[in-house]
Amino acid sequence: MSSSESQDPAASSEAQLSKKAAKKEAAKQDKLRRRQEIAAATANLSVDEADPLGGNYGDVPLVELQSKTAADVGEWTRVEALDGALENQAVLIRGRAQAIRPVGKKMAFLVIRENGFTVQCLVQAQPDAVSPQMVKFAAALSRESVVDVEGVVSIPAAPIKGATQQVEIQVTKLYCVSRAVPTLPINLEDAARSEVEIEKALQAGEQLVRVNQDTRLNFRVLDVRTPANQGIFRIQSHVGNAFRQFLLSEGFVEIHTPKLIAGSSEGGAAVFRLDYKGNPACLAQSPQLHKQMSICGDFGRVFEIGPVFRAEDSYTHRHLCEFTGLDVEMEIKKHYFEVMDIVDRLFVAMFDSLNQNCKKDLEAVGCQYPFEPLKYLRHTLRLTYEEGIQMLKDVGIEIEPFGDLNTETERKLGQLVLEKYGTEFYILHRYPLAVRPFYTMPCYDDPAYSNSFDVFIRGEEIISGAQRVHVPEYLEQRAAACGIDVKTISTYIDSFRYGAPPHGGFGVGLERVVMLFCGLNNIRKTSLFPRDPLRIAP
């Protein structure tokens, strides 16, 4: 065999590595070249040069930002509203300088962003209108600075790829309202990059910056500016509003309960304890006790949206020490299924509303974190706990009959339910009493089970609910059996001594709903400023 026919594996591997290194070096040099071009384009003008058109640009003095003069906010046009209908019209916009690209000494392009919408702006030197110094001022702006731009709307001949709005503003005035530092701790372009994009680049021999989760959370005020994060928290806002509006339409009353309480609301040691004027107290693990007391106070149907505190050391993808609780409590006439009926209709209506009204936000999330739309039924599937256990047993998974499901078995059951029933949203009810809180009502036909339920999305639990014990003597027994000092909840128990209707309710974490609806892998992505066992700032 000739030498040309033989292949040295080591030499081949080295050649591949050399190609990757060459590509990486070429990309680095190209980036350096672009920086040098920008520097050269802006270096030859002196900031001290007298400019008769100097009033058309500059940094806004602090005195002008101290509410010196009242203004009609209608003078400003939202970037979202910029379209072809405004051609040849003068507009004033405010936004962030997302991108700045000088082209020589007499032209610079800016991309201005407001609430996720972007528009391209052209600053071009023109006699008696735009000076070269103004072009330099524009080119020297730091990215993410807040600016006011005045100009005339035009429609370019070719489509604009780098902005959401398909018009261009010919800039006549440019004022910097707030200047960002020249070097940002994280680059928004890097923070907005998807894992798919990073992996593709690696396969092509290019290494892109990956912003890790802790870095994102340390500089959260920058991180939330990315399109995906803007989408996530607008979706979260819609979830809260859909929750509130549906319940109001069903005759519920919104209440606000205290978060400082004398005893634990759920039992156990996972509470944040504190001193309350010399007396022991803690942060509420839920509004459970007070929303039940509100039912005893004849409100009939109540709900609350508020903070919930859990001191447990859970270092998981789905637990937080503080989250936003969506809580419901209501009288029931005959059966705890009445509460499940509300859950069913509430969440189907919520999912429908999200799919209909949050298309752009869902698309923005999906671009960075790809996910499949949630599969759910018009009438939510209901299975008993025993039926769920049997489904797991049928595939060889043994579960303690009176124990609880763990994360792994929840996911497996979710997979089985999807395969059999075609839904990722379902209710599992009639749980063993031993795994439920002290205030849960036992089943009439078997006290080993309870009138309780959990609700799951994509194989993870998001809702826990039940009929409550409303008989004070039995409630005392259940509390003592669960290790709760009855004295610390005496006012709660006493509220049932004055006549209490049968009632039930449920609670759900807002962040977890958004996380699972959007198929995200970590609840910290859906908490604006998350609090977990290791993080209490920013």
Side-chain angles (χ1 to χ4, degrees):
M1 184 182 291
S2 68
S3 61
S4 63
E5 292 174 320
S6 63
Q7 290 286 337
D8 182 350
S12 176
S13 177
E14 285 180 15
Q16 288 179 349
L17 287 172
S18 296
K19 286 181 181 178
K20 287 184 178 179
K23 283 185 178 179
K24 189 174 179 182
E25 182 61 26
K28 188 186 292 185
Q29 291 300 322
D30 185 52
K31 190 177 287 187
L32 179 61
R33 179 182 55 77
R34 289 199 301 268
R35 285 178 181 170
Q36 291 171 340
E37 287 176 354
I38 291 172
T42 60
N44 296 326
L45 286 170
S46 168
V47 293
D48 296 327
E49 282 187 63
D51 183 4
L53 299 175
N56 291 342
Y57 63 94
D59 292 287
V60 179
L62 176 61
V63 67
E64 296 296 333
L65 301 173
Q66 294 178 291
S67 299
K68 178 182 176 183
T69 308
D72 178 8
V73 294
E75 294 175 5
W76 275 264
T77 301
R78 294 181 62 82
V79 170
E80 180 183 5
L82 295 171
D83 58 23
L86 294 174
E87 185 178 13
N88 297 323
Q89 291 189 35
V91 295
L92 167 62
I93 64 169
R94 176 172 291 177
R96 293 190 181 275
Q98 176 172 293
I100 301 148
R101 183 167 59 91
V103 182
K105 292 185 284 186
K106 295 189 176 182
M107 183 186 299
F109 288 96
L110 306 179
V111 174
I112 304 301
R113 185 185 74 249
E114 181 191 36
N115 295 334
F117 295 91
T118 53
V119 63
Q120 180 170 284
C121 302
L122 174 60
V123 187
Q124 186 171 19
Q126 297 175 17
D128 302 322
V130 175
S131 65
Q133 291 95 322
M134 179 172 169
V135 176
K136 182 181 180 182
F137 174 81
L141 287 169
S142 51
R143 289 200 292 178
E144 294 302 297
S145 293
V146 179
V147 296
D148 278 347
V149 177
E150 289 187 48
V152 177
V153 176
S154 65
I155 301 176
I160 299 173
K161 295 181 180 179
T164 61
Q165 309 309 109
Q166 292 306 299
V167 296
E168 185 175 77
I169 296 179
Q170 308 298 315
V171 179
T172 55
K173 294 182 180 180
L174 176 63
Y175 304 103
C176 185
V177 176
S178 176
R179 192 176 287 271
V181 294
T183 304
L184 298 171
I186 59 174
N187 187 321
L188 261 66
E189 185 180 351
D190 295 334
R193 190 173 289 125
S194 71
E195 283 296 317
V196 174
E197 189 180 349
I198 292 172
E199 290 302 318
K200 281 184 179 179
L202 282 173
Q203 292 171 11
E206 184 184 357
Q207 189 169 1
L208 297 177
V209 174
R210 175 188 277 114
V211 183
N212 67 41
Q213 183 171 274
D214 279 341
T215 302
R216 290 178 180 277
L217 297 181
N218 288 340
F219 302 103
R220 190 61 156 161
V221 71
L222 286 171
D223 183 47
V224 295
R225 295 179 190 176
T226 65
N229 281 329
Q230 287 286 305
I232 286 170
F233 292 106
R234 292 175 194 282
I235 290 166
Q236 186 183 93
S237 173
H238 194 90
V239 169
N241 188 52
F243 179 84
R244 174 179 281 111
Q245 294 305 321
F246 177 89
L247 293 173
L248 290 173
S249 73
E250 293 284 328
F252 284 77
V253 176
E254 183 169 9
I255 60 172
H256 305 282
T257 62
K259 305 309 166 196
L260 288 169
I261 61 174
S264 63
S265 47
E266 298 282 349
V271 294
F272 287 104
R273 303 189 183 280
L274 52 91
D275 177 83
Y276 187 77
K277 301 295 184 181
N279 295 309
C282 63
L283 296 176
Q285 293 166 293
S286 82
Q288 185 58 49
L289 310 187
H290 291 93
K291 66 178 182 175
Q292 284 188 257
M293 292 168 72
S294 298
I295 296 300
C296 294
D298 283 354
F299 285 104
R301 293 180 157 198
V302 299
F303 74 93
E304 179 171 17
I305 301 175
V308 174
F309 302 92
R310 301 285 169 89
E312 52 200 21
D313 292 327
S314 296
Y315 302 88
T316 75
H317 74 284
R318 64 176 188 172
H319 287 96
L320 293 170
C321 290
E322 179 183 353
F323 62 90
T324 302
L326 309 177
D327 276 271
V328 169
E329 203 73 19
M330 57 183 277
E331 290 185 15
I332 60 177
K333 302 302 182 185
K334 295 291 291 184
H335 204 287
Y336 73 99
F337 279 12
E338 295 163 34
V339 182
M340 289 163 57
D341 291 341
I342 289 290
V343 171
D344 180 353
R345 293 189 292 110
L346 165 61
F347 279 86
V348 169
M350 181 187 294
F351 298 155
D352 286 347
S353 182
L354 286 170
N355 287 327
Q356 182 177 349
N357 299 308
C358 298
K359 290 178 182 177
K360 286 185 178 179
D361 294 320
L362 291 168
E363 183 181 334
V365 175
C367 283
Q368 183 166 2
Y369 307 111
F371 69 97
E372 291 294 322
L374 181 71
K375 296 179 177 67
Y376 58 100
L377 305 175
R378 289 292 91 195
H379 299 286
T380 304
L381 173 70
R382 301 180 186 187
L383 299 171
T384 66
Y385 186 82
E386 290 174 287
E387 289 171 332
I389 296 300
Q390 189 59 51
M391 287 179 71
L392 290 167
K393 286 183 178 179
D394 290 344
V395 294
I397 300 174
E398 289 297 323
I399 302 293
E400 167 60 42
F402 296 104
D404 206 352
L405 300 179
N406 59 31
T407 301
E408 185 180 342
T409 50
E410 282 180 359
R411 285 178 177 167
K412 183 60 181 178
L413 183 56
Q415 179 186 334
L416 295 173
V417 168
L418 176 60
E419 291 170 357
K420 185 173 181 179
Y421 298 102
T423 182
E424 296 174 291
F425 178 71
Y426 70 97
I427 300 173
L428 195 65
H429 67 101
R430 197 178 158 96
Y431 267 73
L433 184 64
V435 300
R436 308 305 283 200
F438 75 94
Y439 46 75
T440 306
M441 182 70 81
C443 288
Y444 77 96
D445 58 342
D446 188 344
Y449 290 93
S450 62
N451 295 344
S452 64
F453 60 90
D454 279 356
V455 184
F456 297 84
I457 295 181
R458 301 189 197 268
E460 295 195 37
E461 178 255 317
I462 61 155
I463 297 174
S464 188
Q467 180 181 357
R468 322 300 188 184
V469 174
H470 62 282
V471 179
E473 295 77 18
Y474 186 52
L475 198 56
E476 287 178 323
Q477 294 176 26
R478 289 284 301 138
C482 291
I484 295 172
D485 183 354
V486 177
K487 293 179 182 177
T488 65
I489 56 170
S490 59
T491 54
Y492 163 67
I493 294 176
D494 286 346
S495 66
F496 298 103
R497 301 188 193 282
Y498 316 128
H503 60 279
F506 61 90
V508 53
L510 172 62
E511 293 85 352
R512 198 175 287 189
V513 172
V514 178
M515 176 185 79
L516 294 171
F517 186 83
C518 294
L520 298 169
N521 63 2
N522 197 300
I523 199 165
R524 290 157 187 79
K525 285 185 170 72
T526 58
S527 176
L528 193 59
F529 296 100
R531 296 290 179 260
D532 61 28
L534 299 175
R535 179 173 292 277
I536 196 169

